[in-house]
Amino acid sequence: MHIRTYGKKVIATLLCSAMVLSMAACGAEDAEDGTSSGVSFEPINSETTNTDTASEAATEEVASGEPYVLPEGMYFSELTGEPISESIKDQRPIAAMVDNELTALPHYGTSEADVVYELMNSTKNDRITRLMCVVKDWGSIEQLGSIRSTRPTNILLASEWNAILCHDGGPYHNDAYFANPWAADHLSGYFSRVNNGKAREFTEYILPGDLESDIEKFNISATYNEYANPGSHFNFIEYGKELVLSEKYSNTYPGTVITLPFKHNSSQLVYNADTKEYEYYEYGERHEDAEDGAPLSFKNVILQNCSFTQLDDNGYLIYNCISEGQLGWYLTNGEAKIIAWSKTSETGVTKYYDDNGDELQINTGKTYISLIPSDSWDSITLQ
């Protein structure tokens, strides 16, 4: 089936359901007791909307002018759509598992990741999450981590990027996935230890030289192999231009504060109108990198409604991320849009669709992705 035909069929059904939901949903600012029971659905493009938001965004949009010309020796990154050195064009990214427990903070190097996934790591401990940081230019890493164990879902998601998964062990459920040739290139427990005064499980970091020596030691290809997906992972808008959702679509919503249903760390993404990026908050504070104090921030935020299967009594799980026609949200520039997503195979790229049945365009820049458990999807709040 052609992507466009498939996309139209899927999104029509999803939007019908989503619009019904929108009429019943309650936003955070509407709740009498100051709490929120759902998503705030107030269309930006309704007749009663203040038009200043759209006009200001249009004014600030990068003028098209002359087409951008890549400097010699640069190419557009398949992870961000931004110009980077052509010398690493064929280099595989890494996908590093970073502990997100309060004791593991502060993180090092996460603000330099190109794409960051946040996933529920266990059904126990208030559904504690873990980050997976996808980094293209890993040769520039000064310190990244702390590094912890992986889960089967991370193996599947890392395979989309043909990334070298960097972790420290994990449950036996991983073994069946690592047995596949497309997932065989991973590094576990061979990184540096840093004496930071914490328990040993919080002391492992990727330091300069670690990846180069480990890749050579285990005869792993540092460049893309036969399991790589060609081209860009996302459908980026042309570099130098700015996608403003309310200018392209009629059914967009405010999205400046996103509260996610992860009770353990209370994840939030808060839009900074000055930088036009979403800053990550957890444990009640803005996430700032220990290396340079930089906030963990993103141009794009993608939320995927995804069911999961619990694998044992220890709370280990796998998201059912190989699925078609599932609901999602895309947020950029303080606006939100309902989308659909599909991933059709272990190594297949997750694709996102708009309500025209077309592959969703997103802005160039860094991206945050979270797979939200379906049983708590309705607890997301957008303001």
Side-chain angles (χ1 to χ4, degrees):
M1 184 180 294
H2 293 296
I3 289 178
R4 183 177 176 84
T5 303
Y6 169 74
K8 281 184 176 292
K9 181 178 179 181
V10 167
I11 204 70
T13 303
L14 286 174
L15 284 179
C16 180
S17 299
M19 291 306 118
V20 171
L21 172 63
S22 72
M23 291 185 285
C26 173
E29 59 191 43
D30 298 326
E32 294 181 0
D33 61 357
T35 62
S36 174
S37 59
V39 178
S40 176
F41 286 88
E42 295 293 335
I44 289 175
N45 299 65
S46 66
E47 294 181 358
T48 59
T49 299
N50 185 333
T51 58
D52 289 345
T53 302
S55 61
E56 289 173 4
T59 301
E60 295 173 357
E61 184 177 359
V62 179
S64 56
E66 293 295 323
Y68 177 82
V69 178
L70 269 172
E72 186 177 353
M74 305 286 280
Y75 85 105
F76 290 118
S77 167
E78 61 274 36
L79 279 72
T80 66
E82 298 177 327
I84 61 171
S85 173
E86 198 168 32
S87 65
I88 59 170
K89 183 175 183 179
D90 295 328
Q91 179 174 283
R92 298 168 69 181
I94 64 164
M97 298 301 304
V98 176
D99 195 338
N100 209 25
E101 173 59 80
L102 181 60
T103 308
L105 298 181
H107 290 146
Y108 284 77
T110 51
S111 65
E112 298 170 18
D114 299 300
V115 177
V116 175
Y117 289 86
E118 182 175 16
L119 305 180
M120 175 174 62
N121 195 53
S122 170
T123 59
K124 292 188 175 182
N125 203 11
D126 283 333
R127 296 190 168 186
I128 186 172
T129 66
R130 189 156 290 175
L131 305 182
M132 184 174 79
C133 298
V134 185
V135 182
K136 175 70 172 179
D137 187 11
W138 45 260
S140 298
I141 289 175
E142 293 296 326
Q143 184 171 344
L144 178 60
S146 62
I147 303 298
R148 289 297 291 273
S149 60
T150 193
R151 301 290 181 266
T153 309
N154 300 101
I155 300 172
L156 294 172
L157 295 176
S159 75
E160 295 190 16
W161 303 92
N162 195 221
I164 301 170
L165 185 60
C166 300
H167 63 107
D168 191 345
Y172 73 90
H173 306 291
N174 294 334
D175 296 346
Y177 295 90
F178 284 137
N180 291 287
W182 47 264
D185 290 347
H186 65 105
L187 295 170
S188 175
Y190 289 94
F191 307 110
S192 297
R193 294 285 174 176
V194 175
N195 184 4
N196 55 12
K198 300 178 184 180
R200 182 174 172 78
E201 61 263 35
F202 302 108
T203 63
E204 187 173 4
Y205 296 86
I206 298 174
L207 298 184
D210 284 353
L211 290 165
E212 290 84 350
S213 61
D214 292 344
I215 285 172
E216 181 179 1
K217 178 179 180 180
F218 294 102
N219 196 29
I220 292 174
S221 173
T223 56
Y224 286 122
N225 61 28
E226 66 268 33
Y227 303 105
N229 292 296
S232 177
H233 196 88
F234 300 113
N235 183 23
F236 289 114
I237 194 169
E238 182 182 340
Y239 181 72
K241 294 186 176 181
E242 187 85 359
L243 172 64
V244 179
L245 291 177
S246 56
E247 293 180 354
K248 184 173 182 178
Y249 300 105
S250 62
N251 52 345
T252 55
Y253 305 91
T256 56
V257 180
I258 308 113
T259 302
L260 304 180
F262 297 127
K263 293 181 180 179
H264 185 91
N265 65 324
S266 303
S267 307
Q268 284 189 313
L269 291 125
V270 180
Y271 182 64
N272 184 327
D274 293 331
T275 63
K276 293 188 176 182
E277 293 192 344
Y278 288 89
E279 296 176 345
Y280 180 73
Y281 283 70
E282 64 175 346
Y283 301 107
E285 296 183 356
R286 187 176 78 161
H287 183 290
E288 295 180 357
D289 199 293
E291 278 192 312
D292 54 13
L296 182 56
S297 61
F298 307 92
K299 186 64 177 178
N300 307 295
V301 173
I302 296 174
L303 309 179
Q304 298 177 216
N305 183 345
C306 192
S307 63
F308 67 90
T309 301
Q310 185 165 325
L311 300 174
D312 58 31
D313 293 337
N314 295 316
Y316 293 128
L317 64 111
I318 183 169
Y319 279 94
N320 301 315
C321 63
I322 301 176
S323 187
E324 299 186 50
Q326 301 300 315
L327 194 65
W329 282 104
Y330 171 57
L331 299 100
T332 191
N333 291 332
E335 299 177 356
K337 177 167 183 54
I338 297 170
I339 60 171
W341 66 269
S342 295
K343 176 178 168 66
T344 58
S345 68
E346 288 88 348
T347 60
V349 171
T350 302
K351 293 294 184 181
Y352 304 97
Y353 302 95
D354 66 13
D355 45 353
N356 297 317
D358 296 319
E359 186 177 355
L360 179 76
Q361 275 193 318
I362 73 170
N363 276 311
T364 58
K366 297 180 179 182
T367 301
Y368 168 96
I369 302 174
S370 184
L371 274 57
I372 308 297
S374 293
D375 61 7
S376 59
W377 177 256
D378 291 344
S379 297
I380 298 171
T381 64
L382 305 183
Q383 299 175 31

